[in-house]
Amino acid sequence: MTATTPWSPNSFTPADPSYFKVKLTTWAITWGLILLVSLIPGILLATGVEVLLWLVILPVLLVVIIALLTLRILRRQVAALGYLEREEDFVVRSGVMWRKQLVIPYGRMQYVEVNSGPLERRYGLCQLTLNTAGAGATAHVYGLPEAQGQLLRERLVAAGEEKML
């Protein structure tokens, strides 16, 4: 027996395409720093310290391979982000390899906050964080345009207050 969901993947509101630039910049900074660390044995060899050749080549090679594999799925990770407002609850989806869909009833929401880091602000984006009454049920909606994030927060707060009364 197959279980079907009452919503289709096309009914989700996706993350803003500019969010890919945020993820790409974060990827470049992170993997650039890791690559610098992997170059330490090569720098030691160049300064005259005796280092085995495989200790110079292997770390750099592994970092480049893993970074390129991560880059390969980055666009798909952003495309997998989305949210869906339903009558009784709010659904957040994410993940490419490990897919996740979190359903939060409006009546269980404790508070909703809008955050944005420096890279997100540069592209006019924000993220929405929903905290619930249950332990460990926190949802994040990434890649929202700033105005859309504020409006969504207001709608969710209003829906939560309505369901609590």
Side-chain angles (χ1 to χ4, degrees), residues 8 12-13 34 36-37 39 48-49 57-58 62 79 86 91 93 102 117 122 130 133 135 139 142-143 147 151 165:
S8 75
F12 281 83
T13 303
I34 293 170
L36 283 175
V37 171
L39 291 173
V49 176
I57 297 170
L58 188 64
L62 283 175
R86 298 193 309 176
V91 184
R93 74 168 186 194
L102 187 60
R122 178 170 177 359
L130 293 95
Y142 298 100
L151 289 172
L165 298 177

Side-chain angles (χ1 to χ4, degrees), residues 27-74:
W27 173 88
I29 292 169
T30 302
W31 286 101
L33 291 172
I34 293 170
L35 182 62
L36 283 175
V37 171
S38 73
L39 291 173
I40 291 174
I43 294 169
L44 290 174
L45 183 65
T47 59
V49 176
E50 196 168 314
V51 180
L52 297 173
L53 188 59
W54 69 271
L55 284 175
V56 174
I57 297 170
L58 188 64
V60 174
L61 189 62
L62 283 175
V63 166
V64 169
I65 290 170
I66 294 170
L68 290 176
L69 288 173
T70 305
L71 179 61
R72 183 176 165 94
I73 65 168
L74 200 60

Side-chain angles (χ1 to χ4, degrees), residues 1 4 6 9 19 36 48 55 66 70 76 79-81 94 98 104 106 111 132 137 149 154 161 163:
M1 177 191 246
T4 58
Y19 189 62
L36 283 175
L55 284 175
I66 294 170
T70 305
R76 289 180 54 208
L81 299 173
S94 63
W98 288 272
I104 301 174
Y106 292 126
Y111 62 94
T132 65
E154 294 302 321
E161 288 174 351
K163 296 297 178 188

Side-chain angles (χ1 to χ4, degrees), residues 19-31 74 119 122-123:
Y19 189 62
F20 176 72
K21 295 174 187 173
V22 172
K23 293 292 281 184
L24 187 62
T25 305
T26 304
W27 173 88
I29 292 169
T30 302
W31 286 101
L74 200 60
L119 283 175
R122 178 170 177 359
Y123 294 104

Side-chain angles (χ1 to χ4, degrees), residues 58-127:
L58 188 64
V60 174
L61 189 62
L62 283 175
V63 166
V64 169
I65 290 170
I66 294 170
L68 290 176
L69 288 173
T70 305
L71 179 61
R72 183 176 165 94
I73 65 168
L74 200 60
R75 190 172 297 276
R76 289 180 54 208
Q77 286 177 333
V78 172
L81 299 173
Y83 70 90
L84 176 63
E85 293 177 79
R86 298 193 309 176
E87 192 172 314
E88 297 292 323
D89 50 32
F90 187 75
V91 184
V92 179
R93 74 168 186 194
S94 63
V96 174
M97 294 177 69
W98 288 272
R99 293 182 182 150
K100 178 179 175 182
Q101 287 189 347
L102 187 60
V103 180
I104 301 174
Y106 292 126
R108 301 284 295 165
M109 284 188 219
Q110 291 290 312
Y111 62 94
V112 182
E113 59 187 1
V114 177
N115 303 312
S116 61
L119 283 175
E120 290 170 320
R121 281 194 305 274
R122 178 170 177 359
Y123 294 104
L125 301 174
C126 67
Q127 69 171 301

Side-chain angles (χ1 to χ4, degrees), residues 83 112-115 124-129 141 143-156:
Y83 70 90
V112 182
E113 59 187 1
V114 177
N115 303 312
L125 301 174
C126 67
Q127 69 171 301
L128 195 87
T129 305
V141 181
L144 292 170
E146 185 69 36
Q148 182 181 347
Q150 294 295 342
L151 289 172
L152 180 59
R153 184 181 82 70
E154 294 302 321
R155 284 196 309 268
L156 290 174

